[in-house]
Amino acid sequence: MREYKTRLLTGDSLGIQEAAALLRAGELVGIPTETVYGLAANALDGGAVGRIFTAKGRPQDNPLIVHIADIEGLPPLAAEIPELAKKLAKAYWPGPLTMIFRKSALIPDEVSAGLSTVAVRMPYHPLARAVIRAAGVPLAAPSANLSGSPSPTTAAHVMADMAGRIPAVLDGGECAVGVESTVVDITGPTPCLLRPGGVTPAMLAAVAGGVSVNPAVVNRLPDGAVAASPGMKYKHYAPKAHVVLVRGTPAAYAAFVNSHRTEPVTAMCFDGEEGALRVPYITYGRREDSAEQAHRVFDALRRLDEIGAGTVYCACPPEEGVGLAVYNRLLRAAAFEVIDVDG
Ligand code: AMP
Ligand code: MG
């Protein structure tokens, strides 16, 4: 792999033009979106897309999401656009929703990782859309982290993982949503949720009349099972710390954590509940504020590594609404290790 002196580009028209020029030349650029930072390449250039897998250390069979700036960008990428997709696009694009289509001949195999389908999203982040427009091509972009580590929600997170591996990162500040997009299969009569995100099951059902949730969203995939979304089968979002999810009331959580206070443990708890804890802690939002938890969860996981945390007892988030996305990421960060501490 070539070594770069990675530049931090400012989120203005000059930075946008520089990012676009690199992308047109087949290079990779870290770009902000409202979900997490993406590691972008020209989606129509198989060679450029191949470099994403090398830079991330990403398994070759995990396909990428293609990002478009305008609805006119969709028809060339998809072999067919179902009515359901049109309805969902009208309601939630631009936004944190990815839909899976049968792919057109334009999509290189590197993007779809050998599948006959392609995942497409129209982000609402103004810098993301400006870069796509300036590049003049759709952009394939997975999260801009090293494969397996927590997704980046600031330019500094991208630098921490990608410095030396890519030529540039475009700085767009903190990502508003903070967790990756909702991924849905729209080939059936109702949407099937493959990955929860900022567009919630209730929001999908409100437009589509119903929604199903793939069991792998909240369960470990059985050994040997074929994942509807290949990303489901990999260890994900994991800090170096050993994370355990602890489910229970604030009092039961505090009692459990404090019973381990003579051990080198760290709590990852809700804001306002730290006063009851007798161990070092970091917080990730109030218990009832799932959007705030989504916004902060990946930064919290990265900070655990910065402070050298060993075992982390993480307060389990409520699973409703955007909380399902937070729970899904933390479950994977914890490699599905959950302890129930109520009664
Ligand atoms: P990332 O960009 O790192 O958030 O990863 C993209 C996610 O979308 C992964 O979980 C992929 O498995 C999933 N994905 C991408 N393309 C497809 C597809 N054609 N079918 C199903 N899932 C997909
Ligand atoms: Mg990712």
Side-chain angles (χ1 to χ4, degrees), residues 35 64-67 88 92-93 95-101 118-123 141 180-186 192-195 199 204:
T35 58
L64 307 178
I65 295 169
V66 178
H67 296 74
L88 288 171
Y92 301 122
W93 275 6
L97 176 69
T98 296
M99 295 189 271
I100 312 287
F101 299 88
V118 61
V120 183
R121 175 165 104 85
M122 189 199 296
E180 304 86 341
S181 59
T182 303
V183 178
V184 285
D185 179 353
I186 37 77
C192 177
L193 184 73
L194 302 180
R195 178 175 75 181
V199 173
L204 295 169

Side-chain angles (χ1 to χ4, degrees), residues 21 56 70 85 90 109 123 127 138 145 156 164 173 181 185 187 203 211 267-268 272-273 278 334-335:
K56 274 181 69 85
D70 304 281
K90 193 154 181 249
D109 283 340
L127 282 177
N145 52 287
S181 59
D185 179 353
T187 52
M203 289 165 73
V211 62
M268 180 164 153
E273 298 182 9
R278 302 286 168 266

